[in-house]
Structure formats: structure tokens, C-alpha cells
Amino acid sequence: MKKLTTSVLAVVLSSSFAVVSAQTVQDTAKTQDIEGVVVTALGIKREKRALGYSTTEVKGDQVSSVPVANVSDALAGQVAGLNIQQSGTMGGSTNMVIRGIKSLTSSNQVLVVVDGVPINNDTYNQAGMQSGQGSYDYSNGMADLNPNDIESVNVLKGAAASALYGSRGMNGVLMITTKKGKRTKKIGVEFNSALTLGTVDKTTLPKYQHEYGGGYTGSSFYSGDINGDGTVDNNIVYTYDDASFGTAFNPNMMVYNWDSQYPQLPGYLKPTPWVAGKDPNSVWGPSATYQNSVAFSGGNENGRFRLGYTNFNQDGGLPNMSIRRNTIDFTADYNLTDKLNVFGSITYTNTRGKGRIYTGYESRNPMQGFRQWWNMSVDLEKQKQAYLMTGQNLTWNIKDYESQAVGYTDNFYFNRYENFQTDNRNRYFGNFGLNYKLTNWLSFMGRYTFDVYDELQEERVAIGSSDQGRLSNGGNGEYYFRDQRVYEMNYDAIFNVDKDFGDNFNLNGNFGFNYRRNGRVGNSAVTNGGLKVPGLYSITNTAEPLTENNLSQFDIKKSVDGLFAQASLGYKKMLYLDGSVRTDRSSALPTDNMRYWYYSGATSFVFSELFANKDIVNFGKVRFNYAKVGNDTGAYQLYNTYTFIPAISTEAGNAFGASLPQVTNNPNLRAEFMHELEAGLEMAFLKNRISFDLSVYKQKTEDLITPTDISSGSGFTGMWVNSGDIENKGIEARLTVVPFKTKDFSWELTANWSKNKSKVTRINGDIPFLEFASMWNVTSGALLGESTGTIRGTNYVYLNGERVVGANGKYLISDDPQEVIGDAVPDWRGSVMNTLRYKNLSLSFLIDVKQGGDVYSQDMAFGLATGLYAETAGLNELGNPVRNTVANGGGIILPGVKADGSPNTTRTQMSNYTNGLGYYGGPEAMHVYDGSFVKLRNVTISYRFPKETLGLSFIDSMTLSLIGRNLWIIHKNVPYADPEAGLGAGNAIGFQNGAHPTFREFGASLKVEF
């Protein structure tokens, strides 16, 4: 894989350089805004040449070209150093991390700021989701942003760039600038419409075997008198077995399958041929995404405004699955006097989800069954007809024909239509403020920003379902809800300085105050013992009285205030010196440690100003910076509080109890700190036909707040302490080449490449490992001396670098159950964006590459053990069925050596679940795969109609585009899944459990401006 992906980039770039070198350069137009103005921390606009740190700008049309449910998905592959991990589910959360994991327990998500408004991007998904336990993925805050409103996204990567944002700036910042009105009296109208249809990428779905039916050890049947005729029937399908190591299919054999065992069905007691059913891949239908927006803008010499509305509808690829989102936004500013300007914006978004798909290891996640536990004699079309005919949970997975008790898995269609969730979120965010020009060099800005949303999540389990849900209720049904309000308020008072000293010196800076208040308040409840009335989903419809275990109330508040100052001194627009300092005071830290200070320093030197002739090198800049950034912790980690324990009985006088947490809080916590050094080089040649931006950095986070094991004699198992250090170092590069540019034709190529190496340098306590997630016996987390994505489990036994095979033909398993068996952190990431234009026609496409980053697949571990996949059937090299006994020429020979070092010749059985390929037959390292990939991420073909051909004077422009997303996984190593499919946003990486497939999306869009 390494040779392949490296060559993909090398061939494209080298060929581009060759074309440029051979071409006579005559064009004088700038093809890239090398020296433009960008938005930096606190919304301050600065010349890019003056910055002593790395930033990358993405234009709005690159984000909005293809409609997506979560705008962060559109940034994948666009920015060097920005690692985006998608969940793979409709409307799911997305992880966005810049320059690696910095904190072991706090969020590492980049801070998102929209027009100066910090946006809450947390998920608030259920605890345990990251470790593969079942849960719905309710997405994160970025999903509420409207791509059509975005003018540009500026990514502030390093600590020096984002230090002014305080604690949360440590993880980098996405500065999103939205579209504004124009200062013209004419009312402008912009209309956008897009439609995409999706089909599942079959390379991300399992390849099943269709030769054998249900069972674990070779047989699919049991005996009984099912039809009551007094004769023992030996052909009753054992439907309780959720595996497919059973009897070979034979259309001449008549059997009593699941659909012969239900009196409600017309096939009751009628045997049917023993054949393979319509496999689970058939349930995936087309998806559809519709997006329509309209915006009105206008103004005059004193002010401007913009009013927009967007409707976004998405129907997933499974039944009863949709997202509906409506967005209204308004922004305006006005000059009340020559010195006073007032501004404001507000965005309202309503998002309604229905039938979001379950993730992780739980039977409500259909892919858990489809990838891990399935009976290949089941026909999904018959399951569909059984549900539509009766509305009941007539599942294939019943314990026996007499009790007809549901086993592990519900009827798929019953699950989709009866056991569904709904959610409704109303969100408001925006800002109001004023700018006052005190002198010609000093101004003041006062600003209030807010981000508030109210959210109701409801989850249902129908009576008659399998024994599933948050509480074990034996299929008696369940209703759960969470109702919450999440808010953030910021108050800013900032003085801005921009003063020239003679012709050579300029001072640009600001100083001010910020007060931030965060809160989350709400409650949740789940019925106890099931539902009293079927189909009525209300917390009052609980079968048993509610206890403290069924109720939860929370009211979480946190406040941070900060003082800050920043200054940049420029000399002849060539040499710049920057410095900043900030002090924060956090309510989450103890009184003695609640204030912490940090600072940054940066310099940039535009050495191209020294060149008399700029025909070859027309821009060159070196930069260097150092920053120290502080970070606090979550609310209420200082002092212990009691949790009520329900009374043993409800008899009068029976008192309840209370308990403390297992991990004790700590009143002596201190702030975490990160130190970062960064150096960079920016250059442009041949009138900007070739340009690049190169950064190298080294950062270290210290005193990380983590739980550490302590003696159980204290009454606790652990304690929150400052006890960890992480080091990240890496390289980021961006190269833009314009191989051809004439009056009618141009070709622009932009390549991104980044490499980050993380290492845990300190963890206090006796155990040098901090676990982020676990999946059966496999763990993922931070290991001392290794990376923050270390995967541990049982390994092979090696002899001279070869895997050792035992006497039974299976691989030997190491004695240590927690050896290092993988690293989920990729070696490097890269992308190549090509844009070709011929007159009014343009073509752009993005190829995204990831090298390395291991993935442990629980799906492959179980699916191979249960006989679902094609590898477990067919013929071996002898031409015999692999499921024959070894004595009858079956089985396989695993590559490796015997204990004496000779090549393995011992055949191992493939006739039951203990085979040598699956979970029960070898080390967990067998199911760790290289997560490398090469993807064709996005494709857009656009035609802008010339105004003169439209024949309508009121239309300023019209552009028609054909669009595509996730069109082709060119290369991957993870079988039957997208290497990017994860478990939602969070610090745990490198696991797949019930992974969902990827959809290829094709469509068209129309943009008209009046």
C-alpha cells in the first residue's frame, strides 16, 4: 500500500512540474490569494503575509458543492493536518482533530466559530458508544450549520494562531465566515437547488457464502413432532442458531423453516425447499438528499443585510429513516454615524430526525447481525412480507417452534418501523454588537454572542421485541426520553489598534476581556419493567413504579473569564513580530489554581521583498512561533457528590441509600498546558503558477487531567489527577500548481500532505495505559512510550518473523493478552484536488489518501467464526469443499511455520465456529487490518451559462452542475467495510463493530443569481 499511495501523489505532482517547466509563462493573473486578507482569532482580519503561524482557507463553494447532512464531512481532504473521521451513519457525528490527540480525557475536537460565535460541537451521545456498545448517534453541532451560507472556512492550526481563544483554542479553530449583503441599493436574490441519489457501495458490504444454512457445528436441524401427526420430524430448522455453520443447502430437501413455524403465516406447517435466502445486502435501498435555498440581500452606503432560508431533506437507505432541517438566517450591519457601526446576526435551525440507525454491538443495529450473527437460510423478503402481513415481530430467530420466544434478533422490518427513535432540535445562534472608532487608529468593539438549543430525543422498544433496550425487560417494551437545553453565552469587550509610525512601521493589535458561560440542563427517564399499554410511548405508561435508576436530572454550569492582549509590529510590510498573552479564570478549577496564564510569540519575514526582480520568485516568507496554551477540565470534577440508590422495597419506612463515585474527584487539580514550536516556509514562483506552504511543528501537552488507579483501601478505584504528558510532532505541506492557463483553458492542482507522530511520554500510576475503549478482549488507548491510538490484544507467536502454527493447524496465541497489535494513528494523509476550466465549463475532483492507521474489526472476527463470509466456504486447493472434515480432504492450510521452523503443512478444520479464521480460532491480531485507503472523494462538473445566452436581463448568472460524492474507493485493505467507518466522535479510534456501509451519491445542482 505504501508504494501505491506514494506513487499516486508522486506521479501527479511530478507530471505537473514537468508541464510547468516546459511551458512559457506569460500569464500575469494571480491564481491564488497568496497575500490576501484572512480571518484570524476573535474574527480579526489580517494580511496573510503578516501571520507567523499556519492557516488554510477553504472557499465556501468547495464546502457547499455537494449537499451533506454534516458540513464537516465536506471538509474531508481539504486541509493538511485536519483529520476528519466520519461515523458512516445518516446524520452521524464527525470527529475533527488537528495535529493529533492532545488531551487524554477531554475533547480533542477543533473549536468551531461562526462569525465570532463559538458553536457547541459536542455530541452528548450515550456513554459507552465509543467502546462499541449500542447507541444512537445524534450527531454533533456542526450538523446544524448551513453550507450554503458559508463564504469561507479558515483553519487556525497551531497554538499561536488560536491562543486568544483561551482553553478551547488548544485544539485549533475553524473560523467560518458567512455570506453578507452587498452595499448596493439593488435587491439581490440567490437561489440554490440540489438533488443527490445514493446507492450503497458494494465493496463496503459483506460477501456472503450461499452454500450452508444455520448452525454452529455442522447441522441446521432438530427433531420434534411439529405438525402433530405422531411422527418425529427431523427437518425442523433450529432457528435459535444465529450462525451459518450448518447443513449444506439442497433444493430437493424439504424443511420446516422459520416461516413454517408461525400460525399467523399462510405457510404454517408447510415445508419449503432448503435453499439460501435473499441475503441481508438486499435491505439497502437508495438514499435521497434534497436541498433548496433562497437568499435576499441588499443595502446602501450605510448598511447591508442578508436574509436566507434553506430546506434540507434526507432519506436514508433503510426504511423509516429521514432527516428534515429548516434554516432561517439574518445578518445585517449599519453605520449610525461615521464612527459608530452596529451589527447583528441570528440563525434559527430546526432539525428533526426519525429512524436514525443504531451503532455498535446491539441487536437494534442491523449490521451487528448482518456482519456477525446470521442464518443464511433466512430470506429478508419473506421477513418483510411477514411484518407487512401481521405487524408483529415474526422474526426468524425464535428459540423453538413451541414457545416461539424471540431470541437475539428481531424481524428487521419490525425493528425499523416499531423500534425507532425520533429527535427534534431547535437551535438559535448569533451575535449583536457595535464598533466605535475612537480615533483614526483606535477602535472599540462590544459584542454578545449566543448559541442555544433545545433538544428532545425519544427512543422506543415495542412489546414483543427481543430482550433489548437500556434495561433488560424480556421484550415487555420500553420508552426513553432525554430533554435538554444546551447553551453558551460570550461577552466580549475588545479595543483594536492599527497605527502607522512613519512610512516603515505599523502596529496592529488588540486587548480586551471575555466572559463565557456554558450550561446544560435537562432530564431523562426510562420506563421500568416495560410498558403497560402496547404502542403508547409515554413515561407514565411504565409497568412498574419508577425508581432513582430510571430518572436522571442534570444542571451543569461552568464559567470562564479571560483578559488578553495581542500585538503585531510590522516593518516595511516585510518583517513582523507578534506576541500575545492571556489569563483565564475557570470555575471548574479550585480557587487556588483557578487562574492560569499563557502566551505566544511569532515572527514572519517576507524575504521576497528584498528581491529586485520577482519574475521567478514572486513571494517568499519564513515564519516561526512558540506558544503555551492552557486548558481546564469539565465541570464538577473537584468534589464528590452522592448518588441515590433505590430502596430495596417500597414498604413504608424502608430508607434509601446513597453512594460515591468509584473514581474520586480531586480538589487540587491544576490546568493542563500545551507547549508548541512551529516553523514554516511559504513561497510562490512564476507569477504564482507554483506555490507551496510547508510547516513543521512539535508540541507537548503536560499535566493532563486523567483518572489514575489508587489503592482500593481508600474506598475508591481511581482518582482524577494531573498525570499525563503527550508529545505530537509532524509536518504539513500544501502545494498548488497551475500547469496550463490560457484565455480559455486552465488547470489548477492543489495537493495536501501531513504526517503526525504522537507519543505518550508520561502516565502516573502503576498501569502505563489509559484505556479509551474496549471491545471484548481488545483495548484501544494511550500507552506509555507509544501512540494515543495503541490497539492491544492477543498476538501471534513468531519464530524468525514467521507466524507459528500449532499441532491443530491453527495459529498459536501469545501468552500476554494485551500485547500491542496495532496503531490506529495513520502514518500520513494526503489529497490531490484538480480543477480544470474551459471557458464556462469546469471540472473538479478530489482524491483523498490515508496511509496506515490500523483498524480492529469485530465484524470480521465474529463473521468468520459464524460462517457468514465467503472465505468460510467454497473449495480448497485440493478442489474439496473446505467444510469437509480434514479426514475427507477439507480444511485449509494457514501460511506460517511449525514450531521447528519448517513450513506449515498441517490442515485445520473449517467445519464449525472454532475454525482457524474466526474469533474462536486465533489471536485478535488476525483481525487487525491496515486502514489505508485511496478515495475519489468528490467530483463536480459545472457549466456557467453566459448572460447573453439566457435572454433574461433580470438573471445575472446561472450555473448547472453535476455532482458526486464518495464515488470510488480506489484502494482499501479492510474487507467488506469502509476503513473510515467508525463509532462516532470521540478519542477512541481504530475499532469497527457493526460498521455501516458507505453510499455513493450522484446528483445535480442549480444556482441562479438575480
Side-chain angles (χ1 to χ4, degrees), residues 387-423:
Y387 169 71
L388 294 177
M389 187 179 301
T390 67
Q392 300 175 23
N393 187 21
L394 303 190
T395 175
W396 62 270
N397 186 218
I398 53 177
K399 295 182 178 180
D400 55 70
Y401 72 89
E402 293 179 311
S403 69
Q404 294 188 347
V406 178
Y408 311 105
T409 305
D410 293 319
N411 181 306
F412 168 77
Y413 294 93
F414 177 88
N415 201 25
R416 291 303 305 160
Y417 286 105
E418 305 295 336
N419 296 338
F420 64 93
Q421 64 73 234
T422 55
D423 57 273

Side-chain angles (χ1 to χ4, degrees), residues 154 315 318 403 408 513 629 706 803 1009:
N154 195 35
D315 295 314
L318 295 179
S403 69
Y408 311 105
F513 170 79
V629 183
T706 60
R803 301 169 183 174
E1009 294 181 346

Side-chain angles (χ1 to χ4, degrees), residues 636-867:
Y636 311 138
Q637 289 188 348
L638 301 180
Y639 304 103
N640 291 329
T641 56
Y642 284 93
T643 301
F644 287 131
I645 302 173
I648 297 176
S649 71
T650 57
E651 297 178 3
N654 192 359
F656 57 80
S659 66
L660 288 170
Q662 290 185 326
V663 178
T664 181
N665 290 321
N666 184 352
N668 298 310
L669 291 178
R670 305 183 306 277
E672 303 175 341
F673 283 101
M674 183 183 78
H675 305 263
E676 183 178 53
L677 279 169
E678 177 189 323
L681 173 65
E682 299 174 48
M683 295 192 71
F685 305 88
L686 305 174
K687 297 184 174 66
N688 296 330
R689 298 292 290 272
I690 303 175
S691 62
F692 69 82
D693 187 340
L694 176 68
S695 299
V696 294
Y697 62 87
K698 181 178 180 180
Q699 59 182 216
K700 187 170 186 178
T701 46
E702 299 176 331
D703 284 340
L704 298 176
I705 299 173
T706 60
T708 299
D709 292 339
I710 60 176
S711 171
S712 59
S714 65
F716 302 94
T717 60
M719 182 177 184
W720 286 96
V721 295
N722 293 91
S723 68
D725 297 345
I726 297 176
E727 181 180 276
N728 283 283
K729 54 185 178 182
I731 304 173
E732 297 164 351
R734 183 179 181 91
L735 169 68
T736 297
V737 179
V738 184
F740 292 101
K741 187 172 181 67
T742 66
K743 178 182 177 182
D744 294 331
F745 177 76
S746 68
W747 172 22
E748 181 176 312
L749 180 150
T750 299
N752 293 299
W753 187 86
S754 64
K755 178 182 179 64
N756 181 79
K757 182 69 174 177
S758 72
K759 183 178 180 180
V760 181
T761 57
R762 180 171 68 95
I763 297 179
N764 284 355
D766 297 330
I767 301 177
F769 181 75
L770 183 65
E771 181 180 299
F772 291 162
S774 63
M775 196 169 290
W776 293 70
N777 298 324
V778 180
T779 57
S780 172
L783 178 64
L784 186 64
E786 302 290 339
S787 84
T788 53
T790 301
I791 303 172
R792 305 194 307 169
T794 55
N795 204 350
Y796 297 98
V797 174
Y798 287 95
L799 179 64
N800 298 324
E802 297 285 344
R803 301 169 183 174
V804 180
V805 179
N808 59 1
K810 301 176 184 178
Y811 289 117
L812 296 181
I813 301 176
S814 63
D815 294 331
D816 185 357
Q818 289 290 286
E819 279 194 40
V820 175
I821 58 176
D823 184 358
V825 177
D827 297 330
W828 56 265
R829 299 199 64 151
S831 66
V832 179
M833 169 68 84
N834 282 274
T835 302
L836 296 95
R837 295 184 176 88
Y838 177 71
K839 294 186 176 180
N840 294 324
L841 181 68
S842 67
L843 165 66
S844 64
F845 60 93
L846 174 67
I847 296 176
D848 197 9
V849 182
K850 186 184 81 166
Q851 171 64 47
D854 295 321
V855 175
Y856 172 72
S857 174
Q858 193 75 68
D859 298 329
M860 293 302 297
F862 283 149
L864 290 170
T866 56

Side-chain angles (χ1 to χ4, degrees), residues 15-205:
S15 63
S16 300
F17 276 121
V19 172
V20 171
S21 299
Q23 182 180 346
T24 301
V25 179
Q26 298 178 342
D27 180 53
T28 59
K30 294 175 66 174
T31 61
Q32 180 180 341
D33 197 1
I34 300 294
E35 305 179 59
V37 175
V38 296
V39 179
T40 64
L42 301 177
I44 299 166
K45 293 182 178 181
R46 296 187 61 191
E47 288 185 284
K48 190 174 182 181
R49 62 163 46 212
L51 302 182
Y53 45 78
S54 175
T55 68
T56 299
E57 187 176 49
V58 180
K59 298 298 184 182
D61 55 1
Q62 294 176 257
V63 177
S64 62
S65 61
V66 181
V68 291
N70 195 321
V71 68
S72 55
D73 294 345
L75 291 170
Q78 302 269 13
V79 179
L82 175 61
N83 187 14
I84 294 179
Q85 180 79 27
Q86 305 171 38
S87 69
T89 63
M90 182 196 72
S93 58
T94 300
N95 214 31
M96 297 189 298
V97 177
I98 294 177
R99 295 183 176 178
I101 289 178
K102 304 171 183 65
S103 182
L104 293 174
T105 55
S106 299
S107 172
N108 287 278
Q109 289 263 42
V110 61
L111 173 65
V112 180
V113 180
V114 180
D115 291 336
V117 183
I119 298 297
N120 187 306
N121 198 36
D122 293 331
T123 62
Y124 302 118
N125 288 325
Q126 295 300 319
M129 178 178 175
Q130 273 285 291
S131 60
Q133 299 175 27
S135 178
Y136 290 108
D137 188 349
Y138 284 101
S139 192
N140 44 2
M142 281 285 284
D144 292 331
L145 302 184
N146 179 22
N148 283 335
D149 291 335
I150 295 176
E151 180 73 27
S152 65
V153 179
N154 195 35
V155 183
L156 309 182
K157 301 176 185 178
S162 56
L164 286 183
Y165 272 110
S167 303
R168 296 177 299 175
M170 188 174 79
N171 296 325
V173 182
L174 253 65
M175 298 291 301
I176 297 177
T177 302
T178 63
K179 297 176 181 178
K180 306 295 190 297
K182 298 179 180 179
R183 298 185 186 277
T184 59
K185 295 182 180 181
K186 175 184 175 182
I187 300 296
V189 181
E190 178 182 317
F191 172 75
N192 290 274
S193 182
L195 165 65
T196 59
L197 300 176
T199 58
V200 69
D201 185 339
K202 293 182 179 180
T203 67
T204 62
L205 284 175

